[in-house]
Amino acid sequence: MKQAGFPLGILLLFWVSYVTDFSLVLLIKGGALSGTDTYQSLVNKTFGFPGYLLLSVLQFLYPFIVDPANLFIGRHFIIVLSTAAFTLPLSLYRDIAKLGKISLLSTVLTTLILGIVMARVVSLSPYIPKTEDAWVFAKPNAIQAVGVMSFAFICHHNCFLVYGSLEDPTVAKWSRIIHVSTLASVLISILFSTCVYLTFTGYTQGDLFENYCRNDDLVTFGRFCYGVTVILTYPIECFVTREVVANVFFGGNLSLVFHIIVTVVIITIAMLVSLLIDCLGIVLELNGVLCAAPLIFIIPSACYLKLSEEPRTHSDKIMACVMLPVGAVVMVVGFVMAITNPQDCTHGQEMFYCFPDNFSLTNISGSHFQLTTQPSILNISIFQ
């Protein structure tokens, strides 16, 4: 919302969710047309080894660009401890279906976090100064926003795994599940983004929890819930990365020993990346434009266009012809913008309105501001 402009941001969220829905169905249709049951085998049969290698790199890199936690207090220790105690054991599962209940718990916790964010709109929003360009229709960084949104909706890298875990999997059944799941996802995304942006407008950080003050006990509980959701969700991403390694280097099968070794290596590398990076905004942007955009927009469309024998005027082919170049633009332009104009990042520091000396704004211009001592604009007691 901060990058795209609030009205355009809402429209883009709906558009990205629609494209996600369409491309997930397109992937399974492509699998049916090619007689394949994995994303990698689909691309391999469609574009040969070069396409297979490109997809493998994208799927392998995706989990490593994620920053698994940012809980502010003892961050490095918490990451190492939670990885060793929870993420690694959960990632050692060999059957993705066993992670279903874990995903359900993650969804429940996400809903709880959403409730906390919504509550803070009422109690906190009146005390946060609004930036002057908060409600313009569109902003020049909209393509960067599409990259972040693409990251939020990416699940294509494991859709064949989920599809294969269904009872009596069919394209029609998959389509129904995807329509419901995508609709729920976009509604949750809109509520999150709208509530946070209404509260903080132009000061909104890439990691929404960085906007809230450290002495806010309710939000601290939300941070804990968020850490748990990431711990519970990450094993699914690890499952995909491990499958890529198994397919590329071990012919699709891993012995128990190599299963454990590969899992430990993946989790360790991801943990090291997360220890070095504490700015979630640039992480989401780069992941979105470099991995999510091709996995959502480009590759499913390219596979379907090459495999399908439908006429050129068929609605699926028209949509695929639109998605492919749009994805290329988002990927290239989004990457350039992410490097040249990265999101603001507090690196875990308190926002100005949390200072105990009670600062307020006297001049607001974009993300730049001057601070002068004023009578209290933020009564800390509202957090208790």
Side-chain angles (χ1 to χ4, degrees):
M1 300 305 166
K2 177 182 176 181
Q3 291 181 314
F6 184 78
L8 179 60
I10 294 292
L11 295 176
L12 286 175
L13 264 177
F14 277 111
W15 177 71
V16 172
S17 68
Y18 173 76
V19 170
T20 299
D21 182 285
F22 180 82
S23 61
L24 282 167
V25 175
L26 212 60
L27 273 180
I28 298 302
K29 286 184 177 180
L33 289 171
S34 61
T36 56
D37 57 0
T38 69
Y39 202 166
Q40 288 177 291
S41 58
L42 167 62
V43 175
N44 190 26
K45 189 165 185 178
T46 307
F47 295 105
F49 183 74
Y52 170 81
L53 185 61
L54 174 61
L55 178 70
S56 297
V57 170
L58 292 174
Q59 286 187 299
F60 182 82
L61 287 178
Y62 175 77
F64 293 111
I65 312 180
V66 180
D67 182 5
N70 193 349
L71 303 181
F72 301 130
I73 300 175
R75 176 177 175 272
H76 293 78
F77 172 76
I78 292 174
I79 291 176
V80 174
L81 179 63
S82 61
T83 299
F86 303 105
T87 306
L88 179 58
L90 291 174
S91 298
L92 287 171
Y93 277 119
R94 301 181 73 111
D95 183 4
I96 196 171
K98 293 182 178 180
L99 299 174
K101 293 181 180 180
I102 294 175
S103 297
L104 177 61
L105 177 57
S106 179
T107 303
V108 172
L109 291 174
T110 299
T111 306
L112 183 60
I113 297 170
L114 178 58
I116 293 172
V117 170
M118 294 175 69
R120 281 295 174 254
V121 176
V122 178
S123 62
L124 183 57
S125 179
Y127 300 93
I128 307 299
K130 306 303 182 224
T131 51
E132 62 183 11
D133 60 346
W135 308 113
V136 297
F137 180 81
K139 295 181 182 179
N141 300 95
I143 292 182
Q144 286 176 272
V146 173
V148 176
M149 293 174 189
S150 299
F151 170 86
F153 285 95
I154 179 67
C155 53
H156 299 61
H157 50 300
N158 55 31
C159 76
F160 280 96
L161 294 172
V162 178
Y163 176 76
S165 69
L166 299 176
E167 294 183 7
D168 302 321
T170 63
V171 173
K173 185 176 182 179
W174 173 255
S175 298
R176 289 193 301 270
I177 292 172
I178 288 303
H179 296 334
V180 174
S181 300
T182 306
L183 179 60
S185 297
V186 72
L187 291 177
I188 291 173
S189 296
I190 287 176
L191 286 173
F192 262 117
S193 55
T194 300
C195 289
V196 175
Y197 190 78
L198 284 174
T199 307
F200 303 105
T201 59
Y203 302 112
T204 304
Q205 299 296 303
D207 179 351
L208 68 90
F209 282 123
E210 288 195 3
N211 278 107
Y212 298 98
C213 302
R214 295 181 182 179
N215 61 348
D216 187 338
D217 295 336
L218 182 61
V219 174
T220 298
F221 175 68
R223 293 185 181 107
F224 170 77
C225 292
Y226 171 68
V228 174
T229 62
V230 176
I231 290 172
L232 298 180
T233 303
Y234 197 84
I236 298 177
E237 310 301 338
C238 179
F239 196 104
V240 177
T241 302
R242 186 174 57 230
E243 185 190 47
V244 170
V245 174
N247 291 337
V248 174
F249 298 104
F250 298 93
N253 295 310
L254 288 174
S255 65
L256 178 60
V257 173
F258 278 105
H259 172 85
I260 295 173
I261 292 174
V262 170
T263 302
V264 170
V265 171
I266 292 172
I267 293 298
T268 301
I269 296 175
M271 181 186 68
L272 292 176
V273 172
S274 70
L275 291 172
L276 296 173
I277 299 175
D278 66 351
C279 191
L280 191 57
I282 187 64
V283 171
L284 298 181
E285 285 187 24
L286 290 177
N287 199 322
V289 297
L290 293 180
C291 293
L295 289 173
I296 292 177
F297 294 89
I298 300 174
I299 298 177
S301 302
C303 289
Y304 183 77
L305 288 173
K306 188 168 183 179
L307 293 170
S308 176
E309 298 180 356
E310 298 287 351
R312 293 182 179 179
T313 55
H314 191 275
S315 59
D316 285 353
K317 277 202 168 181
I318 294 174
M319 183 64 181
C321 287
V322 173
M323 285 170 53
L324 199 154
V326 169
V329 170
V330 170
M331 184 176 180
V332 176
V333 178
F335 175 72
V336 173
M337 296 183 72
I339 298 299
T340 59
N341 187 27
Q343 287 192 41
D344 295 333
C345 184
T346 67
H347 298 287
Q349 300 299 314
E350 287 271 48
M351 295 296 287
F352 65 92
Y353 44 75
C354 297
F355 295 162
D357 292 334
N358 297 320
F359 289 107
S360 71
L361 298 178
T362 59
N363 181 33
I364 302 173
S365 176
S367 62
H368 303 285
F369 49 82
Q370 294 177 340
L371 297 178
T372 59
T373 304
Q374 297 286 343
S376 175
I377 66 163
L378 186 58
N379 187 341
I380 301 302
S381 64
I382 67 169
F383 291 133
Q384 306 306 321

